[in-house]
Amino acid sequence: MLHRRLICLDDPDDAEPHLAALDFLGRMPVPLRQGFTSGLDRAAAAAGGRRICFVKGNEWYAPFDALARSEPTQRLPNMVLTPFTRDVLSISFQDRLRAAGHAAATPRAMHPAADGLSDPEGLFSVFAVIPWVFLIDHRKLEARPVPRRWEDLLDPVYHDQIVFGGWKRPSDGTYPDCNDFLLLNLYSRFGAAGVKAFAQNTRAIMHNTVASRFAGTNHPDMGAISVMPWMQADICPRRDRTSVIWPDDGAMTMPMGFSVAPEQRERVQPLIDFVCGDAYAAELARNRYPAVWADGPQGLPGGARLDWLGWDYTRTHDVTEETMTAMRIFFAAWDRA
């Protein structure tokens, strides 16, 4: 176990494995963790055992930050799997993978909707996506038009009507965590003015599962529009009053992928087979985190488009710094009165 909040599937009594000694280091969104760890454990056991650590709890960033800071001569885990959060898209993390000689290892063709997710440099393999959609409360929307595109969320007609994901610290009312990926996407597309306009339309920042549960009610913090992952939007219990809108210009997309040490490809192939196999793709589809394969289960709606930052953007911009800039602009402009 790397930290107390990490799960090492094959050796739960070992408290301090070195990152370089791992066959696998990974993390997944909370709704996928139990099924993913169970399947990964079975794949590792069938292969005769592999040294696996899986991040949970408050240690989401810690081992990945440690990889980015490690010396170029230090080995990395043979397989690193993660959603493409700001730390993974940082220059330092990608440089560290390059220095270690890591590469993609995708065994399947990708769905046309996911074509732009293929890494032209061959550093990462994308196997699934986290799509963000709009959950609309039609009673609270009243006579306003249903938003269909991301730019629509900047329209003053939706003033004080938008909720998006995060949580507030009760002690001082600050927001130590929020959907900064959303803010970065808005900043990259619409600039500072767009982030300010979005801030003026934001009513509350609320955990996605809480917002899903309260959508369609008279809860005072809920507005007409909630921006959340498709999974949470889809489980809203009041579908007679709400509807899920997949944006016409594409669901904002955070890819999930992995990178492999080529000389260890054979050793981690059973883990790759699990991650990229039909059985796990079907589980991803059931949970509304679609796999990206052209054949077999993937779960994307017919005609769906995906919209993500793009490889050119992430490799020519300091994603970490731009995320912080987008957050500063948002919180400076957010009118919570």
Side-chain angles (χ1 to χ4, degrees):
M1 186 179 297
L2 182 62
H3 285 204
R4 289 184 178 179
R5 294 186 180 90
L6 299 186
I7 290 182
C8 186
L9 297 177
D10 67 332
D11 192 356
D13 295 322
D14 185 356
E16 291 291 340
H18 297 291
L19 289 173
L22 297 175
D23 287 302
F24 178 94
L25 173 68
R27 60 186 177 184
M28 289 286 276
V30 172
L32 298 176
R33 287 178 184 171
Q34 183 174 351
F36 184 82
T37 53
S38 296
L40 193 69
D41 192 15
R42 290 192 296 270
R50 296 293 184 269
R51 192 158 177 74
I52 293 172
C53 277
F54 188 77
V55 181
K56 298 191 74 174
N58 295 330
E59 302 300 331
W60 180 262
Y61 290 109
F64 294 85
D65 289 342
L67 291 185
R69 292 193 303 265
S70 62
E71 294 296 327
T73 56
Q74 181 179 328
R75 286 188 66 251
L76 300 186
N78 294 330
M79 181 175 178
V80 178
L81 180 147
T82 173
F84 289 0
T85 47
R86 65 176 185 268
D87 57 340
V88 172
L89 295 177
S90 68
I91 294 170
S92 59
F93 188 85
Q94 294 193 59
D95 282 349
R96 186 64 190 87
L97 289 178
R98 291 187 192 97
H102 272 229
T106 303
R108 303 177 68 167
M110 297 181 77
H111 188 278
D115 182 59
L117 302 181
S118 296
D119 182 359
E121 185 180 334
L123 185 61
F124 292 103
S125 296
V126 175
F127 66 91
V129 295
I130 308 172
W132 272 266
V133 298
F134 310 152
L135 179 63
I136 306 299
D137 182 330
H138 291 282
R139 293 192 309 169
K140 292 191 174 183
L141 193 66
E142 298 176 335
R144 303 178 189 88
V146 175
R148 296 290 177 181
R149 301 173 62 87
W150 289 99
E151 189 173 11
D152 294 345
L153 302 187
L154 314 183
D155 191 325
V157 72
Y158 302 116
H159 176 73
D160 202 35
Q161 290 300 317
I162 296 175
V163 174
F164 72 99
W167 66 276
K168 180 167 64 175
R169 183 183 288 117
S171 59
D172 59 11
T174 61
Y175 288 82
D177 183 45
C178 71
N179 186 355
D180 54 34
F181 190 73
L182 167 63
L183 299 180
L184 173 64
N185 274 263
L186 295 174
Y187 181 63
S188 71
R189 291 183 62 176
F190 308 117
V195 175
K196 291 176 183 177
F198 181 77
Q200 293 303 312
N201 289 347
T202 297
R203 183 180 188 89
I205 300 175
M206 185 182 301
H207 194 285
N208 291 315
T209 56
V210 176
S212 175
R213 187 168 72 247
F214 286 149
T217 73
N218 293 323
H219 192 285
D221 287 339
M222 291 302 298
I225 305 163
S226 298
V227 180
M228 62 179 65
W230 186 25
M231 182 267 185
Q232 282 87 358
D234 194 56
I235 63 174
C236 174
R238 296 175 184 84
R239 298 302 289 276
D240 58 326
R241 307 173 187 176
T242 64
S243 60
V244 176
I245 302 296
W246 191 286
D248 292 344
D249 48 348
M252 184 185 74
T253 298
M254 178 182 287
M256 294 186 283
F258 58 89
S259 193
V260 171
E263 70 276 9
Q264 298 295 327
R265 169 73 179 266
E266 183 176 353
R267 180 170 174 79
V268 298
Q269 189 63 50
L271 310 184
I272 296 172
D273 291 343
F274 159 67
V275 171
C276 299
D278 277 358
Y280 192 59
E283 181 170 341
L284 289 166
R286 286 193 298 271
N287 284 281
R288 300 295 189 254
Y289 291 91
V292 297
W293 314 127
D295 59 326
Q298 39 82 5
L300 287 164
R305 297 177 60 188
L306 300 174
D307 175 50
W308 96 285
L309 291 166
W311 294 106
D312 287 344
Y313 180 87
T314 62
R315 285 173 176 157
T316 58
H317 293 74
D318 186 333
V319 172
T320 301
E321 180 55 37
E322 293 205 2
T323 300
M324 297 300 103
T325 298
M327 292 179 67
R328 286 193 295 268
I329 293 169
F330 174 84
F331 283 105
W334 187 25
D335 180 7
R336 288 164 285 180

